[in-house]
Amino acid sequence: MGVGKSTVGRLLAERLDVGYRDTDEDIVTAEGRTIAEIFVDDGEAAFRALEKAAVRAALAEHRGVVALGGGAVLDADTRALLAGQRVIYLSMEVEEAVKRTGLNVARPLLAVNPRKQWRELMEARRHLYEEVATAVVATDGRTPEEVAQAALDALELKQV
């Protein structure tokens, strides 16, 4: 959350001259409501089912850069779909998350005690991010442009 996946994803797509797709945006468009509204109205399990389907569709239909929501890797089937793909894990420490988001924006999983919940989410997810990642790129203290270049370098890709 707040790591810059959408911004960096768009920059990568531009530099590689390929399309960009964000599975969170796909869900919002298909459902006609925000992710926060889906969480509140239908619950996390319903959102995760939508997310799993959105990731599956994006990976099957799109050949450019795909940005995934932070919880997508919780699903074993999704992790299996990511095997063999070039996957960048954009990492960030809690101090940077506070600077970027204030941890007070509409984040359904951070509604109460955001710093503590952010740390717990990362402890539960970090190993999954690392499992699917081809490369890990730290975002702390970097501009989106610097992160995009680090991602290109990590994947040994040349921009066009």
Side-chain angles (χ1 to χ4, degrees), residues 122-145:
M122 287 309 300
E123 286 172 18
R125 295 178 179 182
R126 184 171 282 120
H127 73 282
L128 298 174
Y129 296 150
E130 291 170 349
E131 175 186 321
V132 300
T134 306
V136 178
V137 174
T139 65
D140 301 70
R142 288 178 156 171
T143 66
E145 292 77 12

Side-chain angles (χ1 to χ4, degrees), residues 38-141:
I38 296 168
F39 263 79
V40 169
D41 295 344
D42 303 337
E44 184 176 359
F47 172 76
R48 295 297 173 208
L50 294 169
E51 181 176 55
K52 179 179 179 175
V55 171
R56 185 176 48 253
L59 293 176
E61 300 165 2
H62 186 74
R63 294 292 161 237
V65 174
V66 177
L68 305 182
V73 298
L74 296 172
D75 182 75
D77 293 336
T78 297
R79 291 194 307 275
L81 287 174
L82 294 171
Q85 303 285 334
R86 291 179 174 156
V87 178
I88 293 287
Y89 161 34
L90 299 177
S91 70
M92 179 174 62
E93 297 300 321
V94 69
E95 293 78 16
E96 187 77 6
V98 169
K99 284 186 219 169
R100 291 184 188 187
T101 68
L103 292 182
N104 61 1
V105 293
R107 307 282 185 180
L109 293 179
L110 300 178
V112 179
N113 195 347
R115 286 178 192 242
K116 179 178 183 271
Q117 289 181 299
W118 189 91
R119 282 188 180 100
E120 288 173 358
L121 278 174
M122 287 309 300
E123 286 172 18
R125 295 178 179 182
R126 184 171 282 120
H127 73 282
L128 298 174
Y129 296 150
E130 291 170 349
E131 175 186 321
V132 300
T134 306
V136 178
V137 174
T139 65
D140 301 70

Side-chain angles (χ1 to χ4, degrees), residues 29-40:
T29 298
E31 293 295 306
R33 51 196 173 136
T34 68
I35 290 171
E37 289 170 329
I38 296 168
F39 263 79
V40 169

Side-chain angles (χ1 to χ4, degrees), residues 4-16 18-22 64-67 90 144 147-148:
K5 70 176 178 65
S6 298
T7 302
V8 171
R10 285 185 183 94
L11 285 170
L12 285 172
E14 180 181 298
R15 291 181 183 187
L16 294 168
V18 298
Y20 170 77
R21 187 162 174 177
D22 184 315
V65 174
V66 177
L90 299 177
V147 174

